[in-house]
Each structure stands twice: as structure tokens, then as C-alpha cells.
Amino acid sequence: MQGTGADTLVAARPAPDSRHGVVGWMRTRLFNGPLNSLISLVTLALLVWGLTPLVQWALIDADWLGDSREACSGEGACWVFISARFETIVYGFYPAAERYRVDITLALMAATIAWLAIPRMPARRWVVVFALIGFPVIAWLLLVGGVFDLPYVPTRRWGGLMLTLTVATVGIVGSLPLGVILALGRRSKMPLVRSLCIVFIEFWRGVPLITVLFMASVMLPLFVPSEVEFNKLLRALIGIMFFWSAYMAEVVRGGLQAIPKGQEEAAKALGLSYWRRMGLIILPQALKLVIPGIVNTFIALFKDTSLVLIIGLFDLLAIIRAGLTDTDWLGFATEGYVFAALMFWVFCFSMSRYSQYMERRLHRGH
Amino acid sequence: MPKPPSSHVPLWRRPAFRALIIQALLLAGLVALIAMMVGNALSNLEARGITTGFGFLGERAGFSIPQTLIDYSGDSTYARTFVVGLLNTLLVSGMGIVAATIIGFAVGIARLSPNWVLARLASAFVEIFRNIPLLVQILFWYFAVLQALPSPRQSLSLMEAVFLNVRGLIVPAPVPEAGFGLTLTALVIAIAASIGFALYARRLQARTGKALPVYWCGAAMIIGLPLLAFVVSGAPLSWVMPELKGFNFRGGVTVIPELMALWLALSIYTASFIAEIVRSGIQSVPKGQVEASRAIGLSSNITLRKVVIPQAMRVIVPQLTSQYLNLIKNSSLATAIGYPDLVAVFAGTSLNQTGQAIEIIAITMAVYLTISLSVSALMNVYNARTLIKER
């Protein structure tokens, strides 16, 4: 103000371009320019055109209550199909009286995962040890039984969500350490170790998982002595573990390659042995770098557990599929598959969101 | 500094000695394992009365296949079954790769659009389809969507030429007549000429800096020349229209619902991954590159074509290769809905009939392994050619 009097003050004017509020937001994000406006209108129209019948079908016209086919009005989705079979979907053919054992295992698993997932929890290191060693043993004893007065439940009676989670957990817990060993082996200076690891990794990565499962179900029994009874679930688990450990190995290798050579040289200069160098210096850094890749592999593994239905194991998807052939419930394919999709989606989506959260949290800004 | 005399270090603490021992043990273990497996396999096969060897390939298969690209009947051999399955696998993989690439690039670019609705819609597409198992999607398309289509009599139709019903998608079949060869020849010549022109244009630009309209000329030649030949030779192509006769359609080409379901699911599932790859590729190009090219006065079209896309492709191509390989491998899920791919007809039906588990699984795995390794090799060559040349 260069000496102008108070009476000559210019009245306040609005900002030249409204970028605030709903109108401003719409102006910058939806209608800046004719082309963008057109795209917005067409997309919105498509969205309304596609979503309205979907919401109508899945929520508004849907039937929720009842326990038989008669409850379905036939106008929208009939979720009674799911609720009537919910127990089977979760427990498979696990004996009804023993299902509390599955509940305990699932609760223990949820608690362990929650403990590990929340960064503020104390003693997470020991919980990791428990999750990798203690939990599988406890879960196995609880689910199979045959000890401590628990009746024996053979694995062929396992099924549904419980089997899906079993396959996924064993796959994840087994393929990570195996993958780390393979990745280390691939970088080994011993030519035989290195080439064996390369052949192993390239072989499993080059074939479809389904042929691995076929191999596990029809070829593996030929390779073991005929006296050995080798149960189907175990065979599938071995196949899945080998297959995914190869993918895991490549992810871990990426992390190992990203660690500057100086780290290893410094550890050598301190006189640490190979396993201490790897275990204390290199692997913690490498694994932290590739957390997103590891979680991606977990997600892929989780999704692919559904393939066990092809060799006749009754996972979540197979149980729902079996329900569709039930003569009381013919014609509910859409509801069944939408529900299966939703279940898998919830698990995979939360894993991917958690991995993004970890990525941001561990990001050190360089 | 002189090395300390090795006699001071006990033999078992020397790295070289240890490495030797470890590898010797590993080799011995491996040989023992293989010997044990072979021994078990031989005695098990004998106990089950299965003969080993590949002699079964010449035997009569005796089952029919709903879709074959080459002549096949129940009298054909298992070797022919194998070829039929392999061709079907390649067919659905090829169709899937083309569709997934187109959808994936479109969605990936849409995710970066400044338009809020479009970007959100693209994100929703990605988040939904990549977090649902492919098998669920295949079963959904097949049983919940395609099996719910009307019967042939009530088909949905497009201009009475393309029909969609529960038996599949029926389109008119092209029948080339005498003289159609001219059009094909023209197409080949046009493609060769476009390649030659592109090479010449590149050399000219490297020498003089003058840019020729390569894309427009190429497109004009490839479309125009065959069209000209087609018209000159008197349009020697007729169409067989599908017609409803009784309960089913006659004439035309039928795309069976199994193929459609598998194709839809594979394309959409893979597209959701490709979209993310495309987005990350474009975002990986530093902003300064775009700003610098604007500053030297390049148009936004040239900036995109000569600055952004070439750099983005370096990030995109290797990941795209893995997605193509995944798609080929995932096509093996065909067996869940009965599309007659390699795994379904060979590792499925043929294996059940002959019991030759070891041979058949080995052949099937070898096929996928060969495809995987050769595609990776090809893409590695491409990757090496497009690498940023650094000093």
C-alpha cells in the first residue's frame, strides 16, 4: 500500500478460478475441456447402466432369510443357498462334533496374524518363531487329532474354507524358507549347487501349476515304495510348495542383488561365517526390500489354492461347486460363484492393501 | 602381503575343501534319490501291469474331441490327440494374448487419465479382477454367464448374421474363391514394402534428420493394396451365413462356449496385471523427460511417441513377457470346463485311458517348458536390443 487512503481499498474478490468445493472439484477432475466432459458423461452413464441392475439383483431384490429353496423368490440373488450351506463351506466334511477344533485353530491363526500385522505389538520376533514352528505343530495336532483324547480326523474329510486356509498357510510357510535357500544356492560359488538350483527354479517356473498337481497326484505315487501310504493332501502340498518356492527364490534373488557388495565384504572383514553373514546382515535387508514381491507371491499362491479342486480335493471353491450339483439347489451357479469370488477377493485384497501399507511404513525415503 | 602357508589351516576349514565335500555329498544324495525313484517306479509299474515307453502314441485313441483345428476322429492315434490339444492350447493362448494386451493397455492408460471417473473405474477393474482366482472367473463365465444364455431358437442375434446362444457364438464363415490368392499376395507384398520403407525412413532420418510419415504410409499400403487387389480380381470371397435348421445352426463358424469362457477369463484376468505394468512403466519415465522435450518444442504427440513410450517400454516389456507366459500356462485351466486343450485331452483323457502317467506328464511338462523357455529367450533378445545404451 503506497499511501493510498483506507477509503480507496479495493473490495475483496473471489479467487480467479474456483478449485475448491464440489463444483471446483468436478470442474478440475471431470469437466476440464470438452473431451474430458464427454468421457465423464459416457463413463458415468455406463456405470449407472451396469451398476443399477447389479445392485438390484445382489441387494435389493435378493432373498436373505430361509433354509430351503422355497425361500427364493427368483427375482434377485438367493443368498439362502449360501447361508443354508455355510457350515459345509467353512468346515467341509469335518465331523460336526469336532468343529470346535477348527474354530480354535482359526482363532489362533487370526490372533497370530493380527499380532504380527500390527507393528506396535511387543515381542513380535518370538511370535514369528511361534508362527513358523509352534503354530503349524499345534494346528496339525488339533486338526488331525489322534492324541490327547482328540478323535482322529483323516485329511480326506477336510474341506471348504478350512482346507483353503490350510493349503495356503502350509504353502506360504513352506515356500518362503525353501525359496530363500534356493535363492542363496543360485548365487553360490559352488558350480554344482548353483546349477542344480537354476535347473530346479527354471523347471518349476516353466510348467503350469496344474501339471505339477497332476504330477503329484498320478506320478508321485509311482516313485515311492508301494507300501508307503502317501495321502493326497500331502502330495498336493509338496507340489504347491516346490512350485511356489521357485517363484519365491526369484523374488528373493532380486533382493539379494540389490544389496551393495560392501555389506558382504564388511561382514567378511568382521570375520562372520557364511550363515551369520547371510542371516544377520544380508537376508534381513534383502527380504525387507522385496516385501511387496513376497506378498504378491503369497497372493498368487492363495488364489492358486483353488486349483486343488482339479485333483479332487474339496477346497472352498470345490465345496461351493459341489453344492451346485445338489438336486435341491440346481440353478444357483451365479450366487455360488459370486460368493466364492467375494471370499477369495476379501483375502487377496486385504493382503495387497497390507503390503502397500508395509511398503510405505518401511520406506526410508531414499 | 604373502598368503599364510596353507598347512596352518586345518584341511576341513579350507573353503575349497569344504565346497568340494558339500558338492560331493549333494551329488551322492541326488544320485541315490534318482536311483531309488527309478527302482520304485519300475517295480510299481510292473506290479500294475503298465508297460513303459512311448509305443502308446501310435495306438488308436478312440474318443472324440468337440473342437479340433485339424482332422481328427475317434480312430486317430494318441499322437494326433496330442497335436490337437497343443493346437487348441496355442489357439486360446494366441487369442488371449491379443485381447489381454489391448484391454490391459487401455485400462492402464485409463488409470492415469486426469478424468476422475475413468481413472477410478480402471482402478476398480484392476482391483476386482486380479484379486479373484482365475479358476473362479473361468467357472463364473462358463456356468453363470454362458450357460445362462438362451437356446439356439431364442438366440441373441446381431443383424441376423452373428448369433449368440448356449451352444456358443456363431459367425459367418468366409469362403475364398478362385483368385483370392491375389489378395493374399498383395497383403504379403504390402507388408514387405512397409518394412522396407520403415528401414529406409529410419536411415534417412539418421542421415538427414528428415522424418517421413512411416505409420501412415505403412497403414495405407497394408490396407490399400490388398483392397485394390480384392476389387480388381472381382471380390472373390463369399460368406456362408449361419442358418437355424431344426435345433441347431448350420454353416458359419461356431466358437464353442468353452473357448469363449476361457478366452474371456484369461484376457480379463491377465489384462488386470498388464494394466498395472503399463501404468508403472509410464510412471517410471521421469517427469523431467517430458518437461525437457516440451522445452525443446516437441509436440505432445512426438513427446509421447519418441520420448515417453520408448522409455516406458523398457520397463514394460520384460514384465509383459512374464504375463504372456503366465497366460499360456494358465490356459491349462481349460480342463476345469472341458475345453479340449493339451492338458485336458492329453494329460487328462489319454492318461486315464492308457495309464502312462510318467510319459504323458513328462511330455506335457516338456511342451510347456519349451514354450516358456523359448518365449523368454526371444524376449530376452528383444530386451537386450532395446536396453538403454550406457557407458
Side-chain angles (χ1 to χ4, degrees):
Chain A
M1 307 276 161
Q2 315 163 347
T4 45
D7 49 334
T8 60
L9 263 182
V10 181
R13 275 179 300 179
D17 184 11
S18 170
R19 288 181 183 275
H20 303 284
V22 177
V23 176
W25 178 85
M26 277 171 56
R27 191 172 291 167
T28 49
R29 299 289 192 86
L30 297 182
F31 300 108
N32 57 338
L35 179 67
N36 240 333
S37 306
L38 186 69
I39 293 176
S40 299
L41 289 177
V42 171
T43 331
L44 279 173
L46 275 176
L47 216 59
V48 171
W49 175 77
L51 277 183
T52 319
L54 187 70
V55 171
Q56 187 87 17
W57 175 81
L59 300 173
I60 298 171
D61 285 347
D63 304 301
W64 301 88
L65 298 172
D67 49 11
S68 74
R69 203 188 170 121
E70 278 70 57
C72 301
S73 60
E75 279 164 24
C78 186
W79 301 116
V80 178
F81 168 67
I82 300 297
S83 56
R85 313 194 127 257
F86 194 71
E87 293 255 302
T88 328
I89 290 175
V90 176
Y91 302 105
F93 314 111
Y94 211 82
E98 305 297 323
R99 286 180 179 170
Y100 72 93
R101 282 152 60 179
V102 180
D103 294 336
I104 297 176
T105 317
L106 289 180
L108 194 61
M109 183 167 147
T112 314
I113 290 174
W115 193 301
L116 288 175
I118 301 168
R120 271 181 320 215
M121 294 303 259
R124 285 166 78 218
R125 186 171 300 218
W126 293 107
V127 180
V128 169
V129 175
F130 172 76
L132 289 179
I133 300 162
F135 175 72
V137 174
I138 295 176
W140 180 257
L141 291 179
L142 259 175
L143 293 178
V144 179
V147 286
F148 309 122
D149 288 341
L150 292 171
Y152 171 67
V153 182
T155 52
R156 73 188 137 75
R157 304 204 59 167
W158 299 14
L161 179 64
M162 167 218 169
L163 184 75
T164 295
L165 290 176
T166 307
V167 175
T169 318
V170 176
I172 287 172
V173 172
S175 65
L176 185 58
L178 201 56
V180 169
I181 291 173
L182 282 170
L184 291 176
R186 191 169 184 162
R187 286 166 58 87
S188 162
K189 289 194 183 65
M190 292 180 261
L192 186 69
V193 174
R194 190 176 58 235
S195 36
L196 278 181
C197 288
I198 291 177
V199 169
F200 187 95
I201 292 170
E202 294 301 336
F203 174 75
W204 294 107
R205 273 171 18 112
V207 297
L209 177 57
I210 184 169
T211 60
V212 173
L213 290 173
F214 269 132
M215 185 170 101
S217 80
V218 299
M219 211 160 124
L220 205 60
L222 292 175
F223 288 135
V224 296
S226 48
E227 311 86 74
V228 179
E229 182 68 59
F230 211 2
N231 93 52
K232 207 176 189 177
L233 176 62
L234 189 63
R235 278 183 274 156
L237 286 176
I238 292 175
I240 287 174
M241 227 146 62
F242 278 4
F243 183 83
W244 286 107
S245 67
Y247 281 84
M248 205 61 92
E250 289 299 275
V251 173
V252 175
R253 181 164 76 114
L256 290 173
Q257 283 175 348
I259 306 297
K261 223 177 164 202
Q263 293 285 323
E264 170 137 36
E265 288 165 351
K268 261 187 189 161
L270 287 174
L272 297 181
S273 73
Y274 176 81
W275 291 109
R276 284 178 165 248
R277 284 203 302 274
M278 289 301 150
L280 297 173
I281 314 284
I282 309 293
L283 277 176
Q285 299 185 61
L287 291 178
K288 197 168 85 181
L289 276 180
V290 291
I291 284 177
I294 292 176
V295 179
N296 278 345
T297 314
F298 286 172
I299 295 174
L301 190 156
F302 190 87
K303 281 187 293 180
D304 275 0
T305 56
S306 55
L307 300 196
V308 296
L309 85 81
I310 287 167
I311 57 164
L313 291 173
F314 280 87
D315 77 316
L316 178 68
L317 181 58
I319 285 274
I320 290 176
R321 214 170 121 79
L324 297 172
T325 58
D326 183 341
T327 41
D328 289 344
W329 290 102
L330 288 178
F332 289 93
T334 317
E335 284 88 343
Y337 290 121
V338 166
F339 181 75
L342 194 67
M343 292 288 275
F344 278 104
W345 188 83
V346 166
F347 279 100
C348 296
F349 186 69
S350 14
M351 274 197 272
S352 91
R353 277 296 133 125
Y354 182 71
S355 116
Q356 286 168 17
Y357 158 77
M358 281 310 277
E359 212 176 316
R360 278 195 301 274
R361 220 180 79 82
L362 291 172
H363 191 63
R364 292 279 182 265
H366 50 247
Chain B
M1 203 173 89
K3 263 180 121 178
S6 54
S7 59
H8 285 194
V9 184
L11 190 63
W12 64 88
R13 300 206 60 167
R14 281 186 222 154
F17 179 72
R18 279 193 182 181
L20 206 65
I21 293 295
I22 292 173
Q23 295 188 74
L25 286 177
L26 194 66
L27 190 66
L30 200 67
V31 169
L33 186 72
I34 291 173
M36 198 184 76
M37 279 165 58
V38 170
N40 283 329
L42 287 178
S43 65
N44 280 331
L45 288 173
E46 200 181 27
R48 295 178 197 192
I50 302 172
T51 49
T52 50
F54 293 93
F56 74 96
L57 284 174
E59 286 166 22
R60 180 178 174 278
F63 62 94
S64 65
I65 298 177
Q67 181 197 290
T68 57
L69 294 177
I70 54 172
D71 286 338
Y72 176 87
S73 72
D75 285 329
S76 305
T77 59
Y78 285 112
R80 197 149 181 100
T81 313
F82 166 78
V83 178
V84 167
L86 180 60
L87 288 177
N88 281 342
T89 290
L90 294 177
L91 173 73
V92 73
S93 308
M95 286 166 63
I97 284 175
V98 172
T101 311
I102 295 170
I103 304 173
F105 271 77
V107 174
I109 292 166
R111 262 198 105 166
L112 291 172
S113 159
N115 189 307
W116 191 82
V117 200
L118 192 63
R120 280 306 145 109
L121 199 66
S123 319
F125 176 92
V126 171
E127 292 295 357
I128 290 171
F129 289 107
R130 74 169 177 178
N131 283 321
I132 295 175
L134 177 60
L135 185 57
V136 179
Q137 297 191 32
I138 293 175
L139 294 176
F140 176 80
W141 286 114
Y142 187 61
F143 287 107
V145 179
L146 297 182
Q147 295 288 309
L149 285 172
S151 68
R153 283 179 170 279
Q154 278 98 40
S155 307
L156 307 169
S157 81
L158 186 69
M159 301 199 301
E160 293 300 312
V162 178
F163 297 92
L164 184 67
N165 59 47
V166 73
R167 304 264 175 87
L169 180 73
I170 299 118
V171 294
V175 179
E177 289 161 7
F180 189 68
L182 188 67
T183 310
L184 287 181
T185 321
L187 182 68
V188 173
I189 292 173
I191 290 173
S194 311
I195 295 172
F197 182 66
L199 288 176
Y200 166 74
R202 183 189 286 177
R203 273 227 302 278
L204 186 77
Q205 192 176 12
R207 214 173 55 236
T208 64
K210 192 166 171 290
L212 294 175
V214 176
Y215 291 102
W216 288 115
C217 292
M221 272 195 284
I222 289 174
I223 296 169
L225 212 56
L227 204 65
L228 192 71
F230 186 70
V231 173
V232 165
S233 58
L237 187 72
S238 61
W239 296 87
V240 174
M241 288 295 171
E243 267 180 284
L244 188 63
K245 289 246 175 75
F247 292 104
N248 211 347
F249 280 90
R250 292 279 167 78
V253 178
T254 304
V255 185
I256 56 173
E258 288 80 15
L259 175 59
M260 274 170 59
L262 191 63
W263 182 34
L264 268 171
L266 277 175
S267 316
I268 292 178
Y269 181 76
T270 314
S272 69
F273 288 88
I274 293 180
E276 280 299 89
I277 293 168
V278 169
R279 180 179 68 108
S280 70
I282 294 175
Q283 282 180 336
S284 76
V285 179
K287 228 180 159 183
Q289 292 282 320
V290 177
E291 290 164 352
S293 52
R294 292 257 171 80
I296 58 172
L298 297 182
S299 74
S300 62
N301 181 24
I302 297 284
T303 305
L304 196 66
R305 263 184 27 218
K306 304 269 173 183
V307 179
V308 177
I309 290 178
Q311 293 187 71
M313 284 313 266
R314 291 174 224 272
V315 177
I316 292 173
V317 166
Q319 300 181 65
L320 204 58
T321 314
S322 335
Q323 288 308 323
Y324 289 166
L325 285 180
N326 280 344
L327 189 146
I328 297 173
K329 287 196 287 166
N330 282 335
S331 72
S332 62
L333 292 180
T335 183
I337 52 167
Y339 172 74
D341 83 320
L342 179 63
V343 172
V345 299
F346 198 59
T349 318
S350 300
L351 193 153
N352 284 336
Q353 288 190 2
T354 61
Q356 306 271 5
I358 297 179
E359 293 85 353
I360 286 182
I361 298 280
I363 294 176
T364 311
M365 284 188 152
V367 166
Y368 283 102
L369 210 52
T370 314
I371 296 175
S372 294
L373 295 180
S374 39
V375 172
S376 322
L378 271 177
M379 291 314 259
N380 279 338
V381 171
Y382 172 81
N383 198 23
R385 280 177 59 115
T386 53
L387 267 184
I388 298 181
K389 306 277 190 297
E390 282 179 340
R391 274 178 296 274

